Amino acid sequence: MRYNTRYKDNNFLTPTIYTQTLSEYVENLKYSALPEKVITRAKLILLSTMGAVFAAKGAPTAEKSCQMALEANGGEGGPATVWGYGKKMSAINAAFAMGAMSDALDWEDCSCTGHPSAGVIPGAWIAAEEKHHSGKDLIAAIVAGYEVYQRIALAVQPSDLQWEDRGWGPASWQIFTALIPACKLYGLDARRTNQAIGMACESSTLPTSFSVRTMSDFKHYEYGYRARDGFLIAKSVEKGIHNNMDGLDDPTCYTGTICGNGGNFSVVEDKNQAIEDAADLTWLTRNLGTEYLILDTLLKPWPADIWSQSSIELVRRLMAEHGIQPDDVAEIVVDPMTADHMHVPANGYASSVQAQFSLPYAIAAAVREPMPGARWYSGAFMQDPEIIAFAQRIKAGPCAPNSDLENFKLFRNRSFPAQKVDILLKNGVQVSGQMDCPPGHPSDMPTLSEAASRFEAQASEASAGGQPDHVRELADKLCDLESVEDIASLSELLS
């Protein structure tokens, strides 16, 4: 039943069908209809995200989130396996743990709307493991998650004025990331998926990132909460609810409210500004089924903020190419830098989020520890005097700094902020380099073999060094996911 008292003059039906169209897309999407490049991209993102979770083992957020999930679970037991730890839990509790762990090192993917992989990948895997789905089913669910999440997120992106006034809130639309794959793999039809989307609209968070403004590690847990909520909603709908349909079509439910006007332009002084701030609902179904937005994802080569990637890569390449040692460096100049990303506290960094949003720290950490992992964001590492001293040698160049908003606009247009690095040596020599897009940008994707090699390195680090046989076996299985008949058959390889 579709019924909404707001539209009594239209037989109580919403006049648009965006939510239903997306829901039918989720139900009907088939692996067999996907282009090969989309299938490959789904596997690349899976390898990247799972590797980031394995690498996070031992990091404070990973340890705490796994323990919290175990407590909520009443101890071990359930159909879902927490990556890196091998703990068995309910799908809901595993989703919390792995959602938080996906963001713990800030090493998951990044799109122009946030971090979809932190929910889509663990959410799809957990549901596939729980329901004994195949690798092909898992790939289709990953694609469905990306295509729906990206369109919802793009529809409600803040205007420039909203961005400056209250910031950016990707944790709000993050709730759709785990929800959509769960709906698909739970076998929910379009009507029930429509209901689930409506529940997610009502369960979303504030359209701002307060945790980032305060540099709180709570940011990581938000991704766990949103993944958990997605599963709670999918299971609620699976059990059965009444109506609650067309949530994206009603401006008082989500799309209008998240953009600040609730669809009611009469209550604002400047109607033109209200229209600019309004959601762009055309994004919800734009080129759905023909244009794959999963292809716009960037896979980070380094565990740090997206705008640090080019600089880290340039510094590492220049130092290797010219045989430069850390003690040789007098100063590193980055141009242009990103505003508010150059902080270097004299006594070190108090939280992983504070360090992850610091370009100088990211460069210093990469110089000190080229194989990154949980150690990058340990308290001892973030307060190491040598790392802090090196970070203090990293300066902003003469160009005006870019803002996050300017950078994301470039990324949304399938470009990226170009960056130049000058390394000034103590002997007076200067070496320089420039980069338009870092490795992992949609225009410079790794091969499946390269992604598998990095995954093996990340997972081996989590296994206390070496390269256990099960890590190589798991990498091979992920590269050939189409041949896996039951995702649950891989459970023993996840610890």
Side-chain angles (χ1 to χ4, degrees):
M1 178 182 181
R2 297 171 63 195
Y3 179 86
N4 188 329
T5 56
R6 177 182 174 87
Y7 298 106
K8 61 183 178 181
D9 294 334
N10 192 47
N11 295 318
F12 298 98
L13 292 173
T14 53
T16 57
I17 55 169
Y18 291 115
T19 316
Q20 184 65 17
T21 301
L22 287 172
S23 301
E24 290 173 2
Y25 173 80
V26 173
E27 179 184 8
N28 296 325
L29 181 66
K30 299 289 190 294
Y31 169 88
S32 59
L34 295 174
E36 187 61 36
K37 65 180 179 180
V38 172
I39 293 171
T40 299
R41 187 63 55 87
K43 291 195 285 187
L44 285 172
I45 295 170
L46 174 61
L47 280 161
S48 175
T49 309
M50 186 175 280
V53 171
F54 273 110
K57 184 178 180 180
T61 297
E63 296 290 316
K64 293 173 187 177
S65 60
C66 188
Q67 185 58 42
M68 290 163 64
L70 273 174
E71 291 177 10
N73 205 65
E76 287 196 57
T81 311
V82 177
W83 302 338
Y85 291 89
K87 305 291 186 182
K88 304 292 285 188
M89 301 182 191
S90 70
I92 291 168
N93 292 318
F96 165 73
M98 291 202 287
M101 290 163 65
S102 295
D103 188 65
L105 302 183
D106 202 2
W107 210 351
E108 75 273 49
D109 78 342
C110 195
S111 79
C112 63
T113 61
H115 298 300
S117 69
V120 170
I121 298 301
W125 186 282
I126 289 167
E129 184 181 18
E130 180 187 16
K131 299 296 185 179
H132 296 275
H133 279 284
S134 69
K136 290 181 179 179
D137 294 337
L138 173 61
I139 290 171
I142 290 171
V143 175
Y146 267 83
E147 297 311 307
V148 173
Y149 158 85
Q150 283 282 72
R151 284 172 170 79
I152 294 173
L154 284 165
V156 296
Q157 288 301 292
S159 67
D160 292 5
L161 183 64
Q162 287 178 326
W163 187 297
E164 295 297 331
D165 184 49
R166 69 184 187 202
W168 193 50
S172 171
W173 40 89
Q174 186 71 19
I175 194 169
F176 299 100
T177 57
L179 172 71
I180 298 302
C183 286
K184 183 159 186 64
L185 292 170
Y186 280 6
L188 303 186
D189 59 17
R191 178 183 63 83
R192 291 185 292 174
T193 298
N194 187 323
Q195 292 175 316
I197 290 173
M199 290 178 68
C201 287
E202 290 203 89
S203 301
S204 68
T205 58
L206 295 172
T208 186
S209 292
F210 183 68
S211 59
V212 173
R213 285 188 175 181
T214 59
M215 295 296 172
S216 169
D217 288 344
F218 175 66
K219 168 185 177 285
H220 306 313
Y221 295 112
E222 286 191 85
Y223 290 88
Y225 293 144
R226 301 295 80 75
R228 176 206 62 184
D229 292 349
F231 269 89
L232 281 168
I233 290 168
K235 286 184 177 292
S236 297
V237 174
E238 185 183 39
K239 300 294 184 292
I241 65 167
H242 176 72
N243 202 5
N244 210 64
M245 296 180 71
D246 303 333
L248 296 171
D249 296 84
D250 186 330
T252 65
C253 178
Y254 183 75
T255 52
T257 304
I258 209 75
C259 288
N261 58 55
N264 187 357
F265 298 151
S266 64
V267 300
V268 296
E269 295 181 5
D270 186 345
K271 185 175 181 179
N272 290 331
Q273 184 61 55
I275 293 173
E276 181 183 339
D277 290 346
D280 182 357
L281 298 188
T282 65
W283 261 116
L284 293 172
T285 55
R286 188 180 299 179
N287 301 325
L288 185 64
T290 57
E291 179 183 11
Y292 291 90
L293 300 184
I294 191 174
L295 299 175
D296 293 337
T297 291
L298 180 147
L299 303 181
K300 294 180 183 175
W302 300 94
D305 176 64
I306 182 175
W307 313 126
S308 300
Q309 301 300 313
S310 295
S311 298
I312 301 172
E313 193 68 20
L314 277 169
V315 170
R316 288 293 307 161
R317 290 183 184 183
L318 289 170
M319 290 183 69
E321 180 182 344
H322 296 277
I324 299 171
Q325 299 301 313
D327 287 343
D328 299 333
V329 176
E331 187 174 78
I332 296 175
V333 178
V334 179
D335 201 22
M337 48 78 94
T338 300
D340 302 322
H341 285 61
M342 294 294 289
H343 50 281
V344 184
N347 296 321
Y349 297 82
S351 72
S352 60
V353 171
Q354 187 183 29
Q356 286 158 1
F357 280 83
S358 168
L359 172 61
Y361 177 81
I363 293 175
V367 169
R368 173 74 174 273
E369 187 69 65
M371 183 57 228
R375 186 174 171 225
W376 266 35
Y377 297 111
S378 65
F381 206 74
M382 292 190 298
Q383 292 157 18
D384 187 309
E386 291 185 15
I387 292 177
I388 301 306
F390 194 91
Q392 289 171 339
R393 290 181 244 166
I394 298 165
K395 309 295 184 182
C399 291
N402 294 331
S403 68
D404 280 324
L405 174 59
E406 290 170 326
N407 286 344
F408 272 112
K409 280 184 174 181
L410 283 172
F411 193 20
R412 198 171 301 157
N413 290 325
R414 299 190 166 114
S415 183
F416 207 76
Q419 209 155 52
K420 182 174 181 287
V421 164
D422 297 317
I423 301 180
L424 311 176
L425 305 183
K426 292 177 181 177
N427 63 7
V429 173
Q430 175 177 314
V431 297
S432 303
Q434 184 167 329
M435 184 173 287
D436 293 329
C437 297
H441 185 271
S443 64
D444 187 14
M445 275 283 141
T447 65
L448 205 54
S449 176
E450 290 169 339
S453 295
R454 189 173 79 170
F455 166 80
E456 290 175 30
Q458 291 170 312
S460 296
E461 280 288 310
S463 300
Q467 193 173 68
D469 291 342
H470 75 272
V471 171
R472 173 62 60 82
E473 182 181 355
L474 180 56
D476 291 342
K477 295 287 187 182
L478 296 178
C479 289
D480 190 27
L481 202 56
E482 301 92 328
S483 300
V484 178
E485 295 296 327
D486 182 355
I487 290 299
S489 69
L490 305 182
S491 298
E492 292 184 0
L493 303 176
L494 301 176
S495 59

